[in-house]
Amino acid sequence: MTHDGWAAAFTARVAQAIREARKAAGLTMGEVAQGCADRGLAEVTEHSLKNLELGRKSSLTIADFVVLADMLGVPPVLLLFPLGTSPTVEALPGRTTSTWDALAWFTGETPQDEPASEGTARDVLDRFRQHNDLVAAATTSYALARERRRTASTTLDRTRRATLLQRAEGYEEHAFEDAQELRTYRERMRRRGLTPPGLPDELAFVDQPGTPTTTTESE
């Protein structure tokens, strides 16, 4: 396929995905256009959306694309690649690959045999993904530890309560280790000139110097 042919086909595929997402959401073209205007992008009109869905509009700006994705409540990448409906896709002119591999390439998740070189774009992306994994682990650990201690504190049987408290301490130890690992990782990111994302409220203490990463509650 020529470059022009690929570009037209790519836009047509995205337009079809937008149309299907719109219909799945039960929205009219006018409602989508109004939603885009409410988001600060009046350029997406009912007329332009109709031309896009009917194939009379052969291009789409990035701004239009991301606002449309938000309006439709669809991850933008799923409007680009037909995951689940087509096994392969021509991700670039003359380069057909599995749809999942194309999506992984686009999001920077293509598996690598070795870690990316420090300072490269992929290295930065991988570091933020690792940070996200650590936040998820610490959040889960603390939630489990708090739940185990609550269960123990509301148990009337003394023997069972002692057993449950001992188990809760084990969960709290894991939570402490997860929080320590997250704190160390965030400090390492800063030393490398990266600004870590904000933490959820329940983990805000991780960034407070000298604050112990315990699960003891003040209630």
Side-chain angles (χ1 to χ4, degrees), residues 100-175:
W100 175 249
D101 287 343
L103 189 149
W105 161 74
F106 189 85
T107 60
E109 295 178 285
T110 301
Q112 294 184 318
D113 295 331
E114 298 179 357
S117 300
E118 185 173 338
T120 62
R122 176 60 188 265
D123 172 59
V124 172
L125 189 58
D126 288 345
R127 289 186 186 282
F128 275 82
R129 285 204 174 100
Q130 176 63 23
H131 177 273
N132 189 62
D133 290 342
L134 293 175
V135 169
T139 300
T140 300
S141 293
Y142 272 88
L144 288 172
R146 286 192 295 268
E147 182 58 33
R148 293 305 187 277
R149 185 158 288 277
R150 288 195 187 98
T151 300
S153 65
T154 57
T155 300
L156 299 179
D157 184 280
R158 292 184 177 180
T159 301
R160 176 166 172 73
R161 183 182 184 189
T163 299
L164 292 176
L165 283 173
Q166 185 176 15
R167 291 178 181 174
E169 290 173 359
Y171 278 93
E172 288 168 350
E173 183 177 349
H174 283 301

Side-chain angles (χ1 to χ4, degrees), residues 1-8 90 93-94:
M1 183 181 294
T2 64
H3 171 76
D4 290 342
W6 172 84
E90 190 176 3

Side-chain angles (χ1 to χ4, degrees), residues 51-216:
N51 283 338
L52 178 67
E53 290 191 8
L54 292 178
R56 295 197 292 255
K57 181 177 171 63
S58 60
S59 63
L60 188 66
T61 69
I62 294 177
D64 291 352
F65 173 75
V66 296
V67 172
L68 277 167
D70 182 67
M71 171 59 207
L72 296 169
V74 179
V77 71
L78 293 183
L79 294 178
L80 293 175
F81 302 105
L83 191 65
T85 59
S86 178
T88 61
V89 66
E90 190 176 3
L92 292 169
R95 291 174 56 180
T96 298
T97 184
S98 79
T99 305
W100 175 249
D101 287 343
L103 189 149
W105 161 74
F106 189 85
T107 60
E109 295 178 285
T110 301
Q112 294 184 318
D113 295 331
E114 298 179 357
S117 300
E118 185 173 338
T120 62
R122 176 60 188 265
D123 172 59
V124 172
L125 189 58
D126 288 345
R127 289 186 186 282
F128 275 82
R129 285 204 174 100
Q130 176 63 23
H131 177 273
N132 189 62
D133 290 342
L134 293 175
V135 169
T139 300
T140 300
S141 293
Y142 272 88
L144 288 172
R146 286 192 295 268
E147 182 58 33
R148 293 305 187 277
R149 185 158 288 277
R150 288 195 187 98
T151 300
S153 65
T154 57
T155 300
L156 299 179
D157 184 280
R158 292 184 177 180
T159 301
R160 176 166 172 73
R161 183 182 184 189
T163 299
L164 292 176
L165 283 173
Q166 185 176 15
R167 291 178 181 174
E169 290 173 359
Y171 278 93
E172 288 168 350
E173 183 177 349
H174 283 301
F176 174 84
E177 292 172 352
D178 285 343
Q180 286 287 76
E181 185 177 4
L182 176 59
R183 174 178 288 173
T184 299
Y185 193 84
R186 288 173 69 81
E187 291 172 351
R188 191 181 307 135
M189 289 179 74
R190 292 188 182 98
R191 287 197 298 270
R192 295 186 178 181
L194 301 176
T195 301
L199 291 168
D201 291 342
E202 62 269 26
L203 293 178
F205 64 87
V206 169
D207 274 348
Q208 298 171 4
T211 303
T213 51
T214 63
T215 58
T216 302

